[in-house]
Amino acid sequence: MNILLSNDDGVSAPGLKALARAMASLGTLTVVAPDRNRSGASNSLTLEHPVRIHPVEPGWFAVTGTPTDCVHLAVSGFLTEPQHLVLSGINDGANLGDDVLYSGTVAAAIEARHLGLPTLALSLCVESGRHFDAAARIARELVDGLLARPMPEALILNVNIPDLPYEAIKGIQATRLGARHRADRVVEISDPRGRPLYWVGAVGGGADAGPGTDFHAIEHGYVSVTPLSIDMTQHSAVGGVADWLALFRR
Ligand code: MN
């Protein structure tokens, strides 16, 4: 079996290395990942200039592009062998609730799904421990399960893992996305010449974070597995919009 690994933290990120160690005995791994941290890249695709792929070590490649570029290039021409599974992560940080809209980790998995491949996006909800090896062990268990018993439908599975020792993880829950409070205000600083610079503020805490949500599972020491769909249509509102548009009918 051929497994493609990618991430958004960059090719040298510890979470990616832990993931590769955990999957090594499963098949032939190829890592195609950004050459630097591209967290927050979402589904961006590099269209206005070419992208280079640099070999790092055998089977490991650094790309001067986004996570979406990495999966797209790897599956659509760069790799000669067909890939059977795409794993993205393990991200250094949670991808809960609205985070999935900004996440490059999730974007790499979305691109894999677009290309017809089963996929997991994996994120460690980093606190103080940075238990990447425990998270990688969970990832391996999920992959083993996925191979033994494939999903009935084509899904993107967004997996968040609490930052705990393996033995302290309570279990695995199927969840829905919660939602965060809005982020802190942007932070204004100044450069050495007194000109203003801005940093995006810290993410907000869980707002819609009750039982059944990804936030709730993580808060209580469980791995959260959320199936994602890409159809962002609000189906229940299509009729209302049609009524509203009738006002403009010519
Ligand atoms: Mn990241």
Side-chain angles (χ1 to χ4, degrees):
M1 187 171 70
N2 298 324
I3 304 173
L4 174 64
L5 305 186
S6 194
N7 75 350
D8 75 356
D9 294 333
V11 72
S12 57
L16 179 59
K17 291 181 174 169
L19 184 63
R21 283 194 298 275
M23 300 298 157
S25 62
L26 255 184
T28 303
L29 305 186
T30 307
V31 177
V32 182
D35 64 349
R36 68 199 76 175
N37 192 328
R38 302 302 300 261
S39 296
S42 186
N43 298 83
S44 56
L45 196 55
T46 302
L47 299 175
E48 293 298 319
H49 56 81
V51 170
R52 288 187 193 277
I53 302 181
H54 300 287
V56 177
E57 55 183 275
W60 288 64
F61 300 91
V63 177
T64 62
T66 66
T68 300
D69 289 330
C70 291
V71 173
H72 190 86
L73 298 173
V75 174
S76 307
F78 174 62
L79 300 179
T80 50
E81 295 294 314
Q83 301 300 305
H84 304 110
L85 175 67
V86 179
L87 303 175
S88 178
I90 298 168
N91 190 55
D92 188 345
N95 277 305
L96 300 167
D98 0 332
D99 298 344
V100 301
L101 291 174
Y102 306 95
S103 170
T105 306
V106 175
I110 290 173
E111 188 64 16
R113 193 64 269 172
H114 272 311
L115 296 167
L117 297 169
T119 185
L120 299 177
L122 300 147
S123 303
L124 180 64
C125 300
V126 171
E127 289 180 0
S128 56
R130 299 171 62 83
H131 292 93
F132 280 111
D133 285 317
R137 202 168 152 188
I138 296 286
R140 175 60 190 261
E141 289 173 5
L142 287 169
V143 168
D144 286 344
L146 191 64
L147 296 173
R149 198 173 154 208
M151 285 284 166
E153 42 184 331
L155 298 172
I156 299 154
L157 296 179
N158 186 43
V159 179
N160 281 276
I161 301 161
D163 191 8
L164 295 170
Y166 180 82
E167 295 72 21
I169 293 173
K170 293 210 183 110
I172 305 180
Q173 292 182 349
T175 58
R176 68 174 177 86
L177 296 179
R180 290 188 185 278
H181 290 289
R182 60 179 296 176
D184 290 352
R185 287 176 58 82
V186 292
V187 177
E188 186 178 337
I189 53 177
S190 63
D191 75 5
R193 290 161 198 84
R195 293 173 298 203
L197 297 169
Y198 298 91
W199 281 82
V200 169
V203 295
D208 172 11
T213 66
D214 47 1
F215 285 96
H216 192 270
I218 292 299
E219 181 67 32
H220 291 83
Y222 290 85
V223 176
S224 163
V225 180
T226 309
L228 302 181
S229 70
I230 306 162
D231 180 359
M232 293 175 80
T233 310
Q234 176 134 5
H235 291 276
S236 63
V238 173
V241 171
D243 292 345
W244 176 72
L245 287 175
L247 298 171
F248 304 96
R249 197 165 286 149
R250 293 188 284 172

